[in-house]
Amino acid sequence: MTYEQVKSLKSEDFKRLCGVRPDTFNEMLEVVRSLHRTKQKTGRPGKLSLEDQLLMTLEYWREYRTY
């Protein structure tokens, strides 16, 4: 699922999917964006947006049972 598909979910469903509330997700996204702006760009550009990268990471941590 992409962030565009997930952002329209209710708060409870969003939290069930990735483990954080939408407002917390947005705060995390702002931190990632600020760090991304200062990062030196080398290599091939990523195919996923920052929103999708953060969502994928949170979903992975949520479903990674042995972590």
Side-chain angles (χ1 to χ4, degrees), residues 45-61:
K47 291 186 177 185
L48 295 177
S49 65
L50 288 177
E51 293 90 353
D52 290 337
Q53 291 177 22
L54 179 60
L55 182 65
M56 184 175 65
T57 302
L58 291 173
E59 287 177 0
Y60 176 77
W61 285 345

Side-chain angles (χ1 to χ4, degrees), residues 23-39:
D23 56 341
T24 306
F25 182 86
N26 291 329
E27 290 175 15
M28 294 170 82
L29 186 58
E30 289 305 315
V31 171
V32 170
R33 277 190 182 137
S34 67
L35 293 173
H36 184 71
R37 282 186 216 119
T38 62
K39 188 174 102 173

Side-chain angles (χ1 to χ4, degrees), residues 15-20 57-65:
K15 185 174 181 188
R16 183 175 295 132
L17 178 69
C18 62
V20 297
T57 302
L58 291 173
E59 287 177 0
Y60 176 77
W61 285 345
R62 177 119 170 102
E63 295 297 322
Y64 189 51
R65 304 284 182 205

